[in-house]
Amino acid sequence: MIGRLLAAMLLLPAPVPLADDPFDVLVFSKTAGFRHDAIPAGVQAIRELGAANGFTVTATEDAGVFTTSGLAPYEAVVFMSTTGDVLDAGQQTAFESYIRAGHGYVGVHAAADTEYDWPFYGELVGAYFASHPAIQPAVIRTEDRAHPATAHLPQAWNRTDEWYNYRTNPRAGAHVLATLDESTYTGGGMGADHPIAWCKTYSGGRSFYTGSGHTVESYADPVFRQHLLGGIRYASGQAPADCRPETGYTALTGGWAQAGPGSFTETDGTLTSVGGMGLRWYQAKQFTNYSLKLDWKMADDDNSGVFIGFPPSDDPWSAVNNGYEIQIDATDAVDRTTGSVYTFKAADQAARDAALNPPGEWNTYELLVEGERLQILLNGVKINDFTNTDPVRSLAGHIGLQNHGDGDTVSFRNIRIKELGGTNPPTGTGPIVGLAGKCLDVAGGNSADRTKVQLYTCNQSAAQTWTRNGSTLRALGKCLDVDGSGTTDGTKVQLYTCNNSGAQNWTPRADGTIVNPNSGKCLDVSENNSRDGQQIHIWTCLAAPNQLWRLPG
């Protein structure tokens, strides 16, 4: 009995701690193929979620609303088990413009069985439906426990639904939130990696998709309703989350030790600080160049931090005196609050505040260490960029989580790391191959400053022969350059006289992307279009196919 009560408590949906700004959602449920009898229940559930959480809901099956003015009032559009071709060419164009203007899309269940001949929609939803077995129970493995759609879920979520197989795995272009364990049901067709819920940013907008929601009963389930609510809040821009694709990380489970007073409790994979001042530190290994990701949540105005770059020690003050603390604190001096490198460098306050979820909600940190440079990303947004110049300290070393003291309750979960190898790329000469097997090319083989750099069919010409020289990429005696040292999405990349500026520094990463550290953005083929002559520019790193490159050497 106690075990069943505990399981039930773990599944209770968490309330939204603070009211969102008022917003408006359009629920669209037109079908041109199979029609799900759960659609009315789904529409009603979203109406009730809106009434309880401060957003208005308009439901329609009239595709005529898909015009610039018709979509303008809404922060997000929910495709509620739509099927088939539901929008004509003009309506599709209006919806594309709507997403590119920064709005949101939510796809529920059969939304993946919609608009197969519309490439933009296929990328937006993330994957198309392929098949399904009979309705049956299955176990969902929660992969991201910080996103508002999944933060309330246990690590293993048992539910009954109609489980879709998809034509492709969305992981390369989306951030997977949850997967199906195919060993727990029959008829799975995707193997060990079977995503069932995911999110992504696409063409300036936000997308959330859940494969659940076939049954009428789903929409009476408070846990599923919270899942749906979290997806709507994310897509509507109310709840920041890191929805960049993520591969190659290793969970840091065993290998931790407690230094100093206090401790951490652990429940269903969640660590919560108790007392202090102490430190839970990963003693199994030191790290040099890496991306560390973890999720954290404050109960209220609490205090904690993530320490990096300290030597092995059972004294928690060794981390304070020898390493660096990335602070977690709702209120303090600007160089001692969330996102700061404690007492060394304050976070970008505007960027931090826009990306931060309030106490009671989960946030995700990425701490990107490359040599003596530390970049701090909060929910996928860079909020701090710090370079260590102290010859006594280093960013290389151990990592740890602080339990600050009585009354400071901070929780952590999903601590994972990706080691990046050395900071200096090897030298090499040859083509740089990207989208559709085409090459990075200097237009017309022209060596003049500001010549366009483009994607082009590989032809072994000098215009496609690049040399990796330190942190630069060189062709025709000049350097790959970001126009005007720009840092905004869409800034074009060009050929320019080598000048040792940050606009000409490029860091290849293990995931195949090439980042310009000056902007924190990735080398990108514009519009994900592989036609000859397509402009190369910089864009927020997504590890999407148009950002993956194979370098010489």
Side-chain angles (χ1 to χ4, degrees):
M1 179 66 177
I2 292 175
R4 289 197 298 272
L5 285 173
L6 177 59
M9 290 173 66
L10 289 172
L11 286 172
L12 285 175
V16 178
L18 295 176
D20 293 328
D21 294 332
F23 63 99
D24 301 279
V25 169
L26 177 68
V27 181
F28 181 58
S29 55
K30 180 180 177 181
T31 55
F34 181 84
R35 185 168 183 84
H36 288 71
D37 60 9
I39 287 175
V43 172
Q44 182 59 27
I46 295 176
R47 289 189 187 279
E48 292 170 3
L49 288 171
N53 294 277
F55 61 91
T56 61
V57 176
T58 301
T60 187
E61 299 202 350
D62 179 9
V65 75
F66 282 77
T67 64
T68 299
S69 60
L71 294 173
Y74 306 106
E75 275 70 31
V77 177
V78 180
F79 278 54
M80 175 59 68
S81 278
T82 51
T83 55
D85 296 331
V86 291
L87 300 179
D88 66 25
Q91 293 158 356
Q92 291 175 359
T93 298
F95 189 59
E96 290 182 15
S97 297
Y98 172 82
I99 293 297
R100 290 189 173 111
H103 297 103
Y105 161 87
V106 174
V108 179
H109 193 56
D113 189 23
T114 301
E115 294 288 356
Y116 289 92
D117 297 321
W118 180 14
F120 180 93
Y121 183 84
E123 290 291 332
L124 182 67
V125 70
Y128 283 122
F129 163 80
S131 63
H132 65 78
I135 297 171
Q136 60 191 296
V139 174
I140 294 175
R141 305 291 178 189
T142 311
E143 192 166 311
D144 182 324
R145 302 182 68 207
H147 192 281
T150 48
H152 66 296
L153 297 178
Q155 294 181 89
W157 182 21
N158 298 276
R159 68 182 315 271
T160 296
D161 214 316
E162 179 184 75
W163 303 117
Y164 276 7
N165 298 309
Y166 300 95
R167 297 185 180 186
T168 57
N169 190 312
R171 187 177 295 274
H175 181 70
V176 175
L177 303 175
T179 59
L180 278 172
D181 184 342
E182 290 194 355
S183 71
T184 65
Y185 73 104
T186 60
M190 298 182 70
D193 184 17
H194 187 150
I196 195 63
W198 55 82
C199 63
K200 66 190 299 186
T201 56
Y202 183 66
S203 289
R206 295 168 300 277
S207 169
F208 166 80
Y209 171 81
T210 178
S212 298
H214 174 86
T215 66
V216 172
E217 292 79 9
S218 294
Y219 299 97
D221 175 5
V223 181
F224 177 73
R225 287 165 69 109
Q226 184 73 17
H227 175 60
L228 194 55
L229 173 62
I232 293 170
R233 293 184 66 232
Y234 163 74
S236 300
Q238 302 298 315
D242 188 350
C243 284
R244 297 172 296 162
E246 181 177 312
T247 58
Y249 285 80
T250 300
L252 296 181
T253 51
W256 295 83
Q258 180 69 28
S263 63
F264 284 83
T265 62
E266 182 171 356
T267 303
D268 193 37
T270 300
L271 299 166
T272 301
S273 63
V274 178
M277 177 180 285
L279 186 76
R280 179 182 172 92
W281 64 291
Y282 191 71
Q283 64 175 358
K285 187 174 183 179
Q286 298 188 53
F287 299 99
T288 302
N289 299 295
Y290 59 91
S291 168
L292 174 69
K293 289 188 178 182
L294 52 84
D295 307 329
W296 58 266
K297 179 179 72 172
M298 292 184 293
D300 199 354
D301 181 5
D302 298 299
N303 190 318
S304 184
V306 182
F307 281 85
I308 63 173
F310 58 91
S313 176
D314 291 329
D315 179 5
W317 288 98
S318 175
V320 175
N321 296 326
N322 298 293
Y324 289 104
E325 180 184 7
I326 294 78
Q327 182 72 343
I328 298 171
D329 190 340
T331 56
D332 207 330
V334 292
D335 64 345
R336 304 180 185 199
T337 190
T338 297
S340 66
V341 182
Y342 188 78
T343 72
F344 287 92
K345 187 174 182 181
D348 179 324
Q349 300 295 298
R352 190 276 312 276
D353 290 349
L356 180 65
N357 286 315
E361 294 190 35
W362 287 92
N363 292 275
T364 298
Y365 265 162
E366 179 185 5
L367 310 182
L368 179 60
V369 175
E370 296 171 296
E372 294 301 324
R373 182 187 184 195
L374 164 66
Q375 296 177 74
I376 302 171
L377 288 85
L378 174 66
N379 296 322
V381 176
K382 187 165 78 170
I383 61 169
N384 208 336
D385 195 332
F386 168 76
T387 299
N388 170 49
T389 58
D390 186 339
V392 178
R393 296 180 186 242
S394 175
L395 297 177
H398 287 278
I399 62 175
L401 311 174
Q402 184 185 64
N403 52 300
H404 189 268
D406 292 332
D408 287 315
T409 303
V410 177
S411 297
F412 298 90
R413 56 169 54 155
N414 200 16
I415 305 161
R416 65 259 193 217
I417 198 162
K418 179 197 288 187
E419 295 189 75
L420 305 177
T423 57
N424 294 320
T427 59
T429 298
I432 297 176
V433 183
L435 184 66
K438 293 192 175 182
C439 283
L440 195 68
D441 178 279
V442 181
N446 189 338
S447 63
D449 283 352
R450 296 190 172 89
T451 297
K452 173 185 178 183
V453 173
Q454 61 188 6
L455 194 73
Y456 206 88
T457 299
C458 296
N459 55 30
Q460 300 181 331
S461 68
Q464 297 180 357
T465 302
W466 297 89
T467 298
R468 300 168 66 185
N469 187 328
S471 296
T472 64
L473 296 171
R474 305 186 182 206
L476 303 174
K478 294 192 175 180
C479 282
L480 188 68
D481 178 281
V482 180
D483 185 29
S485 294
T487 60
T488 59
D489 283 350
T491 303
K492 72 177 183 179
V493 171
Q494 60 190 6
L495 197 72
Y496 204 87
T497 300
C498 298
N499 55 26
N500 297 315
S501 71
Q504 298 179 353
N505 288 336
W506 302 94
T507 301
R509 290 182 174 172
D511 62 0
T513 59
I514 302 175
V515 69
N516 170 238
N518 183 64
S519 62
K521 304 290 176 70
C522 278
L523 195 67
D524 180 287
V525 181
S526 67
E527 298 179 346
N528 198 16
N529 191 320
S530 62
R531 69 187 177 191
D532 283 352
Q534 195 68 9
Q535 175 73 53
I536 305 299
H537 60 195
I538 58 170
W539 198 268
T540 299
C541 294
L542 304 169
N546 59 321
Q547 294 185 347
L548 303 183
W549 304 91
R550 186 172 71 251
L551 287 153

